[in-house]
Amino acid sequence: MNVKNANNEIKIFDTTLRDGEQSPGASMNLSEKIRIAEVLEDMGVDIIEAGFPIASDGDFEAVNEIAKLVKGSIICGLARSSRGDIDRCAEAVKPAARGRIHTFISTSPLHMKYKLQMQPEDVHKAVIDSVTYARNFTDDVEWSCEDGSRTEHDFMCQTIESAINAGATTINIPDTVGYAMPSEYAALIEMVRNRVPNIDKAVISVHCHNDLGLAVANSLAAVQSGARQVECTINGLGERAGNAAMEEIIMGLLTRPDHLPYNVNVRSELITKASKLVSTVTGFAVQPNKAIVGANAFAHESGIHQDGMLKNSQTYEIMTPESVGLTESKLVMGKHSGRHAFREKLIELGYDLGDNSIQEAFKRFKQLADLKKDVYDEDIIAIVDDTVVRTNDTINLDKLEVLCGTEHKPPKALMTLNVDGEKISTEMSGDGPVDAIFKGIKYLTGFKPHLQLYQVHAVTQGTDAQAEVTVRLEENGKTVNGQGADTDTMVASAKAYINALNKLLIKRGRSAPSALSA
Ligand code: KIV
Ligand code: ZN
């Protein structure tokens, strides 16, 4: 290992809200992005890439609002090399206590020829122009050579040197297509450190995609070669096979200081909370055997393992569940618990809700405690998530009755919706109870979206567990995810579908009921 840079701190740059959101179906609305950004800030993430402001008004608004609200992390926006992109990005990050402009252009022969249709000299000039221009707005400018791992070394060194001379303070070398091997990528970083004369004036960053399942291995190999910023996402969310998973990077650094003697600012105990939030909001379930955050990551099923664990947990556990925020499911409160205890519990779980939301969540908690003997932390989290997503909805579920089972063929749903204060009812049959419910809602609202995903997840164990349902709907190329939680899976399904419709209404740009007929 040949680390010239004395600085051993690894900066964590989270791009869940930008590269993560680029995965098809993972769209998030403004309030969801803000909730994720707040958790990332609590975690101590150094830089949050909050979006690509030129891409849409929604992206601009998200970066801008996060820049206003989140003060503990650097807020970054992405921009291509054009002035229009950089202007929009600069405007979006302006309210940030510390704002960053991240500008990029492809530098590989393949991308320059086919994607950009530009000559290398013109790309080189665009690098200098874009970084110079971005420096008019902030002294924190990151430059990325897209498709870096397939870029010719001489050209890479030339462009990096020029980007630094133009004022770039972070140089990101992405493995855009997830093609690199760990030793090759480490050697690339080493090459840049040895050949670019002014490289000591910038932080080297890495950004790895997971097409060959090597994103984390490549990132950590690059760190060993001198990279000091790692770009990653929660749960490895991202285009195609995703980006390097932040939880794996953090726990790799914390668990193997003998190989990775670096400091990192992130509080690992918030990893589980962040993972659950991202998976709920996007509807991207985490595979059970996923490292660090999978449901089985700390489960020991086989007799031999259990025996070893009982004698000494280190026999099969290289990190503790507590270190990633996974605590024993705690029995929280019962139906006799009061408002004060509930409020305290919310604070302990890291929620800062307004009075109206607390009131509503407490009402839901009481209803749940009547139905379910044991109420756990996970139940409270599901209630809060469900309450928060439902504020100011135009369409609400008023009543639902479902007739199904062997004696009711076809299944039937009888429902009443409250649409902007007006109650409308129908009775609808379907191929199954969920089909009947969704058809009924579509009939009443006039929506005809395409159902892309219907997913049910049990919040806790046991047959009395709350069901958390995710529904993904698509209308004219716009995708939304709706969530609903209830002890009754049919009610949770109806709520999730309605939640998605409310989000579509906002996407249509009108929240008035007249938008229902659009
Ligand atoms: O994968 C990539 O190259 C990117 C750049 C925009 C940094 O996401
Ligand atoms: Zn990327």
Side-chain angles (χ1 to χ4, degrees), residues 15 18-19 22 49 78 102-105 111 142 144-148 172-177 207-209 231 239-240 243:
T15 183
R18 198 280 296 170
D19 221 340
Q22 278 175 222
E49 187 165 56
L78 184 68
H102 175 191
T103 180
F104 72 100
I105 191 165
H111 276 220
E142 172 168 335
S144 285
C145 42
E146 191 185 1
D147 206 17
N172 184 36
I173 304 173
D175 181 23
T176 304
V177 289
H207 175 113
C208 298
H209 280 267
E231 305 200 353
E239 283 208 89
R240 307 183 310 278
N243 288 59

Side-chain angles (χ1 to χ4, degrees), residues 342 353 356-365 383-384 387:
F342 183 72
L353 301 185
N356 287 348
S357 296
I358 294 188
Q359 191 90 347
E360 182 57 29
F362 183 66
K363 202 168 96 195
R364 292 278 309 273
F365 159 69
I383 287 177
V384 172
T387 308

Side-chain angles (χ1 to χ4, degrees), residues 441-518:
I441 298 172
K442 283 202 280 191
Y443 171 75
L444 286 176
T445 59
F447 272 94
K448 290 181 187 64
H450 173 60
L451 179 71
Q452 288 192 330
L453 174 88
Y454 170 71
Q455 184 174 276
V456 184
H457 157 79
V459 172
T460 54
Q461 289 181 343
T463 47
D464 66 348
Q466 285 192 89
E468 212 167 34
V469 174
T470 305
V471 163
R472 184 174 303 141
L473 300 178
E474 185 270 333
E475 182 187 71
N476 300 329
K478 290 178 182 144
T479 313
V480 290
N481 291 302
Q483 294 92 25
D486 203 281
T487 44
D488 184 319
T489 309
M490 294 305 114
V491 174
S493 304
K495 282 181 177 177
Y497 198 93
I498 290 169
N499 180 237
L501 292 190
N502 280 302
K503 289 180 180 172
L504 271 184
L505 261 184
I506 293 168
K507 288 226 169 186
R508 281 181 179 180
R510 284 172 284 163
S511 58
S514 59
L516 294 172
S517 53

Side-chain angles (χ1 to χ4, degrees), residues 329-350:
S329 272
K330 268 196 252 154
L331 188 58
V332 283
M333 293 174 295
K335 59 178 164 190
H336 302 297
S337 307
R339 202 178 295 268
H340 183 70
F342 183 72
R343 202 182 271 264
E344 292 293 304
K345 189 76 211 174
L346 292 181
I347 293 169
E348 185 194 317
L349 292 172

Side-chain angles (χ1 to χ4, degrees), residues 20-157:
E21 209 215 9
Q22 278 175 222
S23 4
S27 69
M28 307 171 216
N29 66 21
L30 178 62
S31 67
E32 291 163 343
K33 286 184 181 177
I34 290 174
R35 284 169 68 203
I36 292 174
E38 286 174 343
V39 173
L40 294 173
E41 181 189 29
D42 285 351
M43 288 175 90
V45 163
D46 299 283
I47 303 109
I48 300 174
E49 187 165 56
F52 192 0
I54 194 83
S56 68
D57 289 346
D59 253 52
F60 175 89
E61 198 185 1
V63 177
N64 196 242
E65 287 303 313
I66 291 169
K68 286 178 198 156
L69 291 169
V70 172
K71 299 296 172 198
S73 310
I74 294 174
I75 303 304
C76 173
L78 184 68
R80 287 166 300 189
S81 53
S82 71
R83 290 195 169 201
D85 272 44
I86 294 170
D87 283 338
R88 196 80 175 128
C89 183
E91 199 187 333
V93 298
K94 201 170 171 189
R98 289 173 299 152
R100 175 178 295 188
I101 296 176
H102 175 191
T103 180
F104 72 100
I105 191 165
S106 292
T107 49
S108 68
L110 205 66
H111 276 220
M112 289 191 290
K113 182 167 178 197
Y114 294 103
K115 183 181 128 170
L116 299 176
Q117 297 181 334
M118 281 169 82
Q119 294 302 319
E121 312 79 77
D122 298 325
V123 169
H124 190 186
K125 188 173 172 306
V127 174
I128 299 169
D129 288 351
S130 57
V131 175
T132 309
Y133 188 64
R135 277 297 301 247
N136 291 324
F137 303 99
T138 170
D139 55 11
D140 188 346
V141 173
E142 172 168 335
W143 178 71
S144 285
C145 42
E146 191 185 1
D147 206 17
S149 56
R150 294 191 298 174
T151 293
E152 285 171 355
H153 290 188
D154 287 351
F155 190 58
M156 176 178 276
C157 291

